[in-house]
C-alpha cells in the first residue's frame, strides 16, 4: 500500500464516523441529562442547549491527543503491520456495525454502551480476519466487559442509595427541612465540586498534562476547588436561596454574586391555587413546584403566540415562505419538542405513586446541584467517550496518510477530527436523544431534583472509584443502576419499572454478539467476496 491509496475508504469512514458519533450523542450523552430533565431541573431544550457546549468543549478542548489504534487492546495491532489496508477495512466495518446497533438501540429506547459497541464490532472483524484465537478472551479483554454488566449497575446503585438515604433522613424528612437544607447544601457543594474536579483531572482531561499528575496532587487540587465552591455557597448562594425560597423575593440567578449588597426585592406574586402542594403533587406526580410554575408561564406565553399566529392565519392565508419556515423548524426542533417526563403516563402511574413526595421548596434547592453535576459529567464525557467514534477514524486517517501501522498501538487525533466528532455528538443529542432521556428518567422511577442529584453524583463517583481500582465500568450502566438504587429507597419494589430494567439489561447482553456479528459479516463480505479483478 502507498500513501493516499484507498481514498474512497477514508471518505466512507469519515461519513460513517459521523453517524457513530451522532448515535453516541443520542444514546450516551442523553445519560448525563436524563435525570435533570426528568426531575424538572432543566427542560429538554435547556438540556440540549447546555450539552451542546459542554460536550463539544469537552471533546475539542480536553479530548485525547492520541487514541488506541484498536479500542480496548482486544486485538493485536501487530497483525496488521504488513497489511495496513486491512486495518482500514476493519475500522470501517467496525464503525458501520457500531453505528447501526447504537442507532437501533436508541430508536427503541435501550441505553447501551458505545464503548462495548465498538469493542464488540472489533471482536467480530478480528474473528473474521484472523480467527477466534486472535481475540483476548480473558480478564484483560472480553472478561472485563462481561463483568461490567453486573459490577457497574450494582456499585452505582449502592452508592446512589447511600447518598439519597443521607439526604432523605438528614434533610427531606426533617420537620424544618428548609432550615436543614440551607445548612447542609454547602457540604453537598463541597463534595460535588471535589468529586467532579477529581473526575475532570483524573479521567476527564486526557488531552492535558493534568492527567499525568500524581494522585496526591490531584486530590489536593480537588479539595481546594471544593473548598472554594463551598465558601461561595455559604456566603453567596445560600443567602440568595433563602431570600428567593423563604422570603419569596423576586431574584434572578445573576443576583447571586451581589446578594450581600442587594436591598430587599419585591415579593413574588403568589397564586392562591398553587398553595395546596399536596393536591398538586398528587395530581402531577412532580414536586418541583417552582420549576413547574416557570414552565407553565413559559408554555402560556408560547400558546399565546401560537394562538395569535392561528388567528392571523384565519384572516389571511400563510405565505409559502411561512409554511416552508414552519416545516423546517419542525424538522430542526423535532427532538426538543418532545414530552420526555412521562408524568401523565397511565402505564407507569403505579410506579410514580409508590414514590415518596417531599417539600417542593427543598427539592427546588437541589435543582442547582443537579444541573452542576450533569454539566460536569457531560463535559468529562465529551473529553473521554468521543474517542469511541473518532479513534477508528483517526486510525484510518493516519494509515491513509502514511501507509503504515504504528506497532505502539497509539494514533494521533487531529483537532479537526475532535471538532467533527463533537458536532456530531451535539446533533445526535438534539435530534434523537429524547428517546433515552425518556427511558432513563421517569420511565424507570419517579425523579425529583434530590433523587436526580444523588443518581448523577453516584454514577460519577462509581466511575472514578472503579477506574482507579482497575475495575471495568460503563457510564451507561452506572446511571441505570443508580436509578434503580434511588427507586428502591422508596421502600417498595413497585417504585421501579422492572420491565424496562429487564429490557435495558437484555440490550447490554445483546451488544457484544450483535455488533460482533454485524462487524464480522461486513468484513467478510468486503474481504472475501469474489472479484472481477485479478491481482
Amino acid at each position: 500500500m502507498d500513501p493516499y491509496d484507498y481514498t474512497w475508504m477514508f471518505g466512507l469512514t469519515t461519513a460513517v464516523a459521523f453517524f457513530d458519533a451522532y448515535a453516541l450523542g443520542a444514546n450516551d450523552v442523553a445519560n448525563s441529562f436524563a435525570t435533570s430533565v426528568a426531575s424538572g431541573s432543566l427542560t429538554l431544550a435547556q438540556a440540549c442547549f447546555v450539552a451542546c457546549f459542554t460536550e463539544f468543549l469537552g471533546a475539542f478542548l480536553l479530548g485525547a491527543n492520541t487514541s488506541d489504534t484498536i479500542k480496548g487492546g482486544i486485538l493485536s495491532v501487530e497483525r496488521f503491520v504488513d497489511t495496513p489496508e486491512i486495518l482500514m477495512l476493519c475500522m470501517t466495518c467496525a464503525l458501520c456495525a457500531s453505528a447501526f446497533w447504537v442507532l437501533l438501540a436508541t430508536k427503541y429506547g435501550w441505553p447501551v454502551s458505545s464503548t462495548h459497541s465498538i469493542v464488540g464490532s472489533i471482536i467480530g472483524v478480528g474473528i473474521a480476519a484472523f480467527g477466534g484465537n486472535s481475540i483476548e478472551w480473558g480478564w484483560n479483554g472480553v472478561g472485563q466487559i462481561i463483568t461490567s454488566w453486573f459490577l457497574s449497575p450494582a456499585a452505582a446503585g449502592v452508592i446512589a442509595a447511600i447518598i439519597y438515604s443521607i439526604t432523605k433522613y438528614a434533610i427531606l424528612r426533617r420537620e424544618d427541612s428548609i432550615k436543614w437544607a440551607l445548612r447542609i447544601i454547602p457540604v453537598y457543594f463541597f463534595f460535588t465540586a471535589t468529586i467532579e474536579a477529581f473526575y475532570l483531572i483524573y479521567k476527564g482531561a486526557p488531552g492535558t498534562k493534568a492527567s499525568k499528575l500524581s494522585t496526591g496532587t490531584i486530590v489536593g487540587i480537588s479539595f481546594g476547588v471544593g473548598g472554594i465552591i463551598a465558601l461561595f455557597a455559604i456566603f453567596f448562594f445560600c443567602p440568595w436561596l433563602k431570600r428567593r425560597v423563604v422570603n419569596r423575593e423576586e431574584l434572578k440567578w445573576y443576583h447571586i454574586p451581589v446578594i450581600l449588597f442587594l436591598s430587599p426585592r419585591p415579593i413574588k406574586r403568589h397564586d392562591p391555587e398553587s398553595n395546596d402542594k399536596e393536591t398538586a403533587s398528587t395530581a402531577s406526580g412532580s414536586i418541583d413546584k417552582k420549576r413547574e410554575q416557570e414552565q407553565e408561564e413559559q408554555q402560556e406565553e408560547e400558546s399565546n403566540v401560537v394562538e395569535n399566529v392561528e388567528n392571523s392565519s384565519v384572516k389571511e392565508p400563510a405565505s409559502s415562505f411561512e409554511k416552508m419556515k414552519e416545516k423546517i423548524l419542525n424538522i430542526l426542533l423535532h427532538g426538543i419538542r418532545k414530552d420526555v417526563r412521562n408524568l401523565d403516563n397511565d402505564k407507569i402511574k403505579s410506579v410514580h405513586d409508590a414514590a415518596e413526595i417531599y417539600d417542593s421548596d427543598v427539592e427546588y434547592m437541589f435543582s442547582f446541584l443537579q444541573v452542576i453535576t450533569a454539566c460536569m459529567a457531560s463535559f468529562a464525557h465529551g473529553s473521554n467517550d468521543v474517542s469511541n467514534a473518532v479513534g477508528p477514524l483517526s486510525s484510518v486517517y493516519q494509515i491513509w496518510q502514511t501507509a503504515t501501522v504504528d506497532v505502539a498501538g497509539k494514533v494521533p487525533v487531529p483537532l479537526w477530527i475532535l471538532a467533527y466528532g463533537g458536532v456530531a455528538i451535539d446533533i445526535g443529542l438534539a435530534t434523537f436523544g429524547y428517546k433515552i432521556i425518556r427511558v432513563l428518567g421517569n420511565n424507570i422511577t419517579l425523579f425529583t431534583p434530590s433523587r436526580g442529584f444523588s443518581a448523577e453524583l453516584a454514577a460519577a463517583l462509581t466511575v472514578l472509584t472503579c477506574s482507579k481500582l482497575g475495575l471495568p465500568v460503563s457510564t451507561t450502566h452506572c446511571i441505570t443502576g443508580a436509578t434503580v438504587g434511588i427507586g428502591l429507597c422508596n421502600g417498595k419494589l413497585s417504585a421501579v419499572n422492572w420491565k424496562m430494567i429487564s429490557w435495558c439489561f437484555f440490550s447490554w447482553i445483546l451488544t457484544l454478539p450483535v455488533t460482533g456479528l454485524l462487524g464480522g459479516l461486513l468484513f467478510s463480505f468486503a474481504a472475501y467476496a469474489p472479484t472481477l479483478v485479478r491481482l
Side-chain angles (χ1 to χ4, degrees):
M1 175 184 176
D2 296 323
Y4 302 106
D5 280 351
Y6 302 102
T7 302
W8 66 269
M9 196 182 301
F10 168 62
L12 176 62
T13 308
T14 302
V16 174
F18 182 90
F19 285 103
D20 195 49
Y22 175 91
L24 189 152
N27 201 294
D28 265 22
V29 178
N31 301 335
S32 301
F33 288 93
T35 56
S36 296
V37 175
S39 67
S41 296
L42 288 173
T43 64
L44 180 57
Q46 289 170 339
C48 292
F49 179 79
V50 172
C52 283
F53 289 95
T54 54
E55 287 287 335
F56 178 81
L57 292 177
F60 186 72
L61 298 178
L62 298 180
N65 294 326
T66 60
S67 175
D68 292 334
T69 303
I70 296 179
K71 185 72 177 178
I74 208 155
L75 180 65
S76 176
V77 181
E78 296 178 357
R79 295 179 179 271
F80 300 94
V81 171
D82 296 328
T83 54
E85 65 274 16
I86 297 299
L87 180 56
M88 291 180 67
L89 180 61
C90 284
M91 293 298 101
T92 303
C93 295
L95 277 176
C96 288
S98 175
F100 175 82
W101 170 247
V102 178
L103 282 173
L104 181 67
T106 304
K107 174 179 173 59
Y108 290 102
W110 302 338
V112 297
S113 171
S114 61
T115 302
H116 292 180
S117 297
I118 192 66
V119 170
S121 303
I122 292 173
I123 291 174
V125 298
I127 293 175
F130 304 106
N133 293 331
S134 63
I135 303 300
E136 178 60 59
W137 297 102
W139 174 255
N140 294 326
V142 179
Q144 285 195 4
I145 296 175
I146 296 176
T147 303
S148 71
W149 295 342
F150 306 94
L151 177 64
S152 297
V158 171
I159 295 175
I162 293 173
I163 295 175
Y164 182 67
S165 295
I166 294 173
T167 303
K168 182 168 69 172
Y169 292 107
I171 298 176
L172 298 175
R173 283 191 173 182
R174 292 273 187 146
E175 185 174 346
D176 195 351
S177 56
I178 293 180
K179 180 183 71 176
W180 284 101
L182 291 171
R183 290 176 178 176
I184 298 178
I185 276 182
V187 179
Y188 277 109
F189 265 98
F190 171 77
F191 283 110
T192 301
T194 301
I195 292 172
E196 297 299 344
F198 192 94
Y199 186 96
L200 287 174
I201 298 172
Y202 174 73
K203 191 176 188 295
T208 67
K209 294 181 180 179
S211 58
K212 299 179 181 179
L213 295 174
S214 65
T215 303
T217 303
I218 296 176
V219 170
I221 295 174
S222 302
F223 271 88
V225 172
I228 293 173
I229 298 298
L231 290 175
F232 178 83
I234 292 172
F235 293 107
F236 295 96
F237 180 72
C238 285
W240 175 86
L241 203 58
K242 182 178 180 181
R243 290 175 59 175
R244 178 177 171 85
V245 175
V246 179
N247 300 340
R248 306 291 180 184
E249 295 184 32
E250 288 280 1
L251 293 172
K252 302 296 183 182
W253 63 268
Y254 48 78
H255 290 139
I256 296 177
V258 296
I259 191 65
L260 298 179
F261 313 101
L262 199 65
S263 59
R265 308 285 291 182
I267 304 299
K268 285 184 179 180
R269 182 181 61 84
H270 209 53
D271 186 0
E273 295 181 4
S274 66
N275 289 332
D276 191 357
K277 295 178 183 176
E278 183 178 355
T279 303
S281 298
T282 304
S284 66
S286 171
I287 64 172
D288 192 3
K289 295 302 297 173
K290 289 182 175 55
R291 302 297 302 183
E292 289 293 337
Q293 290 173 7
E294 292 174 1
Q295 292 174 12
E296 288 174 3
E297 292 174 0
Q298 182 180 357
Q299 292 173 0
E300 185 178 352
E301 293 177 0
E302 292 176 354
S303 63
N304 291 336
V305 174
V306 173
E307 288 176 2
N308 293 336
V309 173
E310 291 176 350
N311 293 335
S312 62
S313 62
V314 172
K315 295 180 180 179
E316 55 181 82
S319 65
S320 300
F321 173 76
E322 290 175 342
K323 291 181 179 179
M324 182 62 67
K325 177 183 176 182
E326 184 63 26
K327 289 182 179 179
I328 293 174
L329 286 176
N330 286 334
I331 294 174
L332 294 178
L333 301 179
H334 169 77
I336 63 176
R337 287 180 170 177
K338 296 290 185 178
D339 175 24
V340 296
R341 297 192 66 190
N342 274 336
L343 295 177
D344 300 322
N345 191 338
D346 293 334
K347 295 181 180 179
I348 54 176
K349 186 177 183 300
S350 60
V351 175
H352 292 177
D353 290 342
E356 294 184 71
I357 304 299
Y358 301 105
D359 191 336
S360 61
D361 287 336
V362 178
E363 290 286 355
Y364 176 70
M365 296 179 180
F366 278 94
S367 62
F368 299 92
L369 279 168
Q370 186 182 10
V371 171
I372 293 173
T373 307
C375 290
M376 292 296 101
S378 174
F379 190 79
H381 178 275
S383 66
N384 280 275
D385 287 16
V386 68
S387 63
N388 292 334
V390 303
L393 175 58
S394 299
S395 298
V396 172
Y397 179 63
Q398 190 256 352
I399 295 171
W400 177 67
Q401 282 189 316
T402 64
T404 60
V405 175
D406 186 0
V407 293
K410 294 291 183 180
V411 61
V413 181
L415 285 178
W416 73 266
I417 290 183
L418 286 174
Y420 182 70
V423 170
I425 287 174
D426 290 342
I427 295 176
L429 173 65
T431 57
F432 211 33
Y434 67 90
K435 293 277 189 178
I436 299 300
I437 291 177
R438 180 182 292 160
V439 169
L440 284 180
N442 293 319
N443 202 30
I444 294 180
T445 189
L446 178 65
F447 263 110
T448 59
S450 62
R451 291 180 171 97
F453 161 72
S454 301
E456 290 170 359
L457 188 61
L461 189 57
T462 303
V463 171
L464 269 177
T465 306
C466 292
S467 297
K468 183 60 180 175
L469 296 175
L471 300 175
V473 290
S474 166
T475 53
T476 301
H477 302 169
C478 284
I479 193 64
T480 305
T483 301
V484 175
I486 295 296
L488 291 177
C489 284
N490 292 298
K492 302 175 184 177
L493 290 176
S494 59
V496 177
N497 186 351
W498 295 106
K499 181 179 179 181
M500 180 55 63
I501 291 299
S502 300
W503 275 112
C504 291
F505 188 78
F506 183 61
S507 68
W508 299 348
I509 298 176
L510 279 181
T511 297
L512 277 187
V514 170
T515 54
L517 181 63
L518 288 174
L521 289 176
L522 285 173
F523 179 85
S524 299
F525 179 80
Y528 304 130
T531 177
L532 292 173
V533 180
R534 293 184 180 274
L535 300 177

